[in-house]
Amino acid sequence: MSATERLAFGSILVGLIVLALKTLAWWLTGSVALLSDALESTVNVATAVAALIAIRVAAKPADRSHPYGHHKAEFFSAVLEGVMIIVAALLILREAWHGFQNPRMLDAPVEGLLVNGAASILNALWCWVLISRGRRLRSPALVADGRHLLSDVISSVGVVAGVALAVVTGWAVLDPALAALVALNILWSGWKVMASSLSGLMDEAVSEDTLADIRATISDAATGAIEAHDLRTRHAGPRTFIDFHLVVDGQTTVDAAHDICDRIEQALKRKLPGALITIHVEPEHKAKHSGVVVI
């Protein structure tokens, strides 16, 4: 089992524990705001399962039907997660509306808040693990899951503080009001997760910093070439795809041109492990002198 799969399994386990704790907190108090927190945790579990499935599919090697691999499966998982976050937010808004219509004081608020607080601490620790390790492993599914958990942690802190304020002041209407605020925060989080994932599905280019590194690496390793142009990039999960045209002197032998290409590929793969590189070699009369990487 890969490190990415182990983290995805861990998300399912942590999600189930947090869901149980938050459900207990709602059961103890009857709080609509704490119910909203528990509803979001059901999404955490469902999306953790979806992330695991996507990671396993993305890890499959390329085949005849998918010659470029299955890496985009993780983006589909992240889009699904965004949709489920939005659905959870709408369910919470419905519960908040019922709470506004029939506000009530809470039962056993101290016990409920302590249990919910323990769940939030566990979530905070795990979201830090997911985001840091997901970035290192270049896994959009893990990073999306971690960002969702981070929004959950932030909203949970607000819920705990707000419910405590409702208990102290006796303003029962604060409970459903907090639930509505949680829902709005979740909606925003869901939109951000979907937007970032859709960009990957649309073959978005690598970041400007990564592009600058690629250009510099090609320039340093392309000794013997005249220029490189028409550089294009895209990313899909942990994979970076790079293609460009390399112009060489017309008298350059096939072996010599191949050696230059090998040197460039090795340099790029040291910089971006797992990169898939396509180089089209051209004679000098194909030089463009615009959009040039190497001169």
Side-chain angles (χ1 to χ4, degrees):
M1 185 184 298
S2 67
T4 307
E5 288 178 315
R6 287 196 296 271
L7 286 168
F9 268 117
S11 286
I12 296 172
L13 178 60
V14 171
L16 288 171
I17 294 172
V18 169
L19 173 59
L21 290 172
K22 290 188 175 182
T23 302
L24 176 60
W26 164 68
W27 181 79
L28 288 170
T29 62
S31 165
V32 179
L34 295 183
L35 172 60
S36 71
D37 227 8
L39 280 173
E40 187 180 6
S41 291
T42 63
V43 178
N44 292 347
V45 175
T47 52
V49 173
L52 175 60
I53 294 171
I55 287 167
R56 286 194 156 185
V57 172
K60 290 182 179 180
D63 54 36
R64 289 182 65 183
S65 300
H66 305 86
Y68 291 98
H70 301 75
H71 312 292
K72 287 191 177 182
E74 291 198 42
F75 289 118
F76 284 105
S77 168
V79 170
L80 174 63
E81 181 166 343
V83 172
M84 296 184 73
I85 292 171
I86 291 172
V87 171
L90 295 176
L91 291 174
I92 293 169
L93 282 172
R94 191 182 80 168
E95 293 299 323
W97 174 248
H98 292 323
F100 275 120
Q101 291 178 317
N102 300 288
R104 57 181 290 272
M105 292 309 298
L106 309 183
D107 304 318
V110 174
E111 294 86 345
L113 290 175
L114 287 175
V115 171
N116 193 272
S120 298
I121 291 171
L122 178 59
N123 250 356
L125 293 173
W126 189 246
C127 84
W128 177 79
V129 171
L130 284 178
I131 293 174
S132 59
R133 294 294 303 279
R135 285 173 176 167
R136 194 176 311 157
L137 295 169
R138 302 183 70 196
S139 169
L142 289 180
V143 173
D145 204 16
R147 286 175 177 167
H148 175 210
L149 285 185
L150 180 59
S151 72
D152 188 17
V153 171
I154 294 170
S155 62
S156 293
V157 171
V159 165
V160 169
V163 170
L165 182 61
V167 172
V168 171
T169 61
W171 296 346
V173 76
L174 279 178
D175 185 41
L178 281 168
L181 288 175
V182 169
L184 293 174
N185 179 62
I186 293 171
L187 278 172
W188 176 243
S189 172
W191 166 249
K192 288 194 295 184
V193 168
M194 286 185 65
S196 62
S197 302
L198 287 171
S199 66
L201 288 173
M202 295 297 291
D203 286 336
E204 183 181 47
V206 299
S207 68
E208 288 297 324
D209 289 342
T210 302
L211 182 60
D213 287 340
I214 291 172
R215 292 176 66 89
T217 302
I218 294 172
S219 182
D220 291 342
T223 303
I226 295 174
E227 72 173 39
H229 58 244
D230 291 350
L231 172 63
R232 299 186 301 175
T233 65
R234 63 184 178 91
H235 63 93
R239 288 288 190 185
T240 300
F241 295 82
I242 305 168
D243 67 79
F244 59 92
H245 294 199
L246 185 72
V247 179
V248 298
D249 186 281
Q251 302 303 312
T252 304
T253 64
V254 173
D255 280 345
H258 189 268
D259 288 342
I260 297 172
C261 291
D262 280 348
R263 189 167 63 244
I264 295 172
E265 286 185 17
Q266 290 168 7
L268 286 171
K269 287 180 178 179
R270 284 195 297 270
K271 196 72 176 179
L272 298 167
L276 295 178
I277 303 151
T278 302
I279 305 174
H280 180 69
V281 177
E282 296 180 326
E284 56 189 305
H285 70 271
K286 292 285 188 177
K288 287 190 174 181
H289 307 298
S290 63
V292 173
V293 178
V294 181
I295 297 179

